[in-house]
């Protein structure tokens, strides 16, 4: 009878002390895995940002976020072309800074996109993709 009481107490103590420890270890491993995945996603985003020469935060991040869901390079290209054609209000095949500024403002992104001249120059690689009038040519992006 003493052995039965001993083992019953032993089982109860182990159950109420060991079970929470096991649950805590499992939850800790889960949170570590989630942190590692989040860190990898952040590093991938930083690499993508560095690849296009952007700072960590720009006024046109809301627009860039719409392209993050693209499934392929061709999908991104198609979306960019459609956006630029939509913004080309005078159908000239090119976008001036003002035309791009006004068009992005009308699209009502949150926060609003206020494209500066410096950002326009960065997008166009110091107007490398611009025509002689200083307008971004849509065909130069194909």
């Amino acid at each position: 009878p003493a052995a039965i009481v001993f083992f019953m107490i032993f089982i109860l103590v182990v159950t109420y002390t060991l079970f929470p420890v096991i649950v805590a270890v499992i939850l800790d491993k889960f949170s570590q895995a989630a942190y590692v995945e989040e860190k990898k996603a952040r590093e991938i985003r930083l690499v993508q940002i560095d690849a296009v020469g952007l700072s960590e935060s720009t006024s046109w991040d809301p627009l860039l976020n719409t392209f993050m869901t693209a499934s392929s390079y061709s999908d991104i290209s198609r979306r960019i072309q459609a956006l630029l054609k939509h913004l080309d209000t005078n159908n000239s095949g090119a976008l001036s800074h003002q035309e791009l500024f006004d068009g992005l403002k009308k699209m009502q992104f949150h926060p609003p996109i206020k494209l500066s001249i410096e950002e326009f120059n960065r997008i166009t690689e110091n107007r490398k993709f611009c025509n002689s009038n200083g307008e971004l040519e849509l065909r130069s992006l194909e």
Side-chain angles (χ1 to χ4, degrees):
I4 294 174
V5 172
F6 172 77
F7 281 112
M8 292 295 283
I9 293 173
F10 177 77
I11 291 172
L12 287 174
V13 169
V14 168
T15 301
Y16 288 108
T17 57
L18 190 58
F19 183 73
V21 170
I22 291 171
V23 170
V25 168
I26 290 171
L27 289 175
D28 183 53
K29 294 296 180 182
F30 177 79
S31 66
Q32 284 177 359
Y35 174 76
V36 167
E37 288 298 316
E38 182 181 2
K39 186 176 177 182
K40 284 180 186 178
R42 196 170 337 134
E43 288 172 355
I44 288 171
R45 184 165 189 267
L46 288 175
V47 167
Q48 291 171 339
I49 287 171
D50 287 342
V52 293
L54 301 175
S55 62
E56 176 62 36
S57 178
T58 64
S59 69
W60 44 293
D61 280 349
L63 177 63
L64 294 177
N65 289 336
T66 63
F67 295 117
M68 297 295 279
T69 60
S71 59
S72 66
Y73 177 76
S74 62
D75 188 27
I76 292 173
S77 180
R78 188 173 17 84
R79 289 182 187 194
I80 290 173
Q81 290 297 325
L83 173 69
L84 295 178
K85 285 178 184 174
H86 175 73
L87 295 174
D88 185 16
T89 55
N90 61 2
N91 294 321
S92 65
L95 293 171
S96 66
H97 170 261
Q98 191 61 45
E99 200 173 12
L100 191 56
F101 180 86
D102 293 340
L104 291 173
K105 188 176 176 181
K106 288 179 185 175
M107 294 181 78
Q108 299 180 347
F109 284 102
H110 185 72
I113 297 175
K114 296 178 181 171
L115 188 69
S116 68
I117 293 288
E118 292 80 21
E119 289 174 322
F120 182 77
N121 288 336
R122 201 174 319 152
I123 292 168
T124 60
E125 294 184 12
N126 291 321
R127 306 207 179 218
K128 176 181 164 183
F129 298 114
C130 292
N131 60 19
S132 59
N133 297 330
E135 296 178 330
L136 175 64
E137 289 190 322
L138 303 183
R139 68 173 184 260
S140 67
L141 298 175
E142 293 176 354

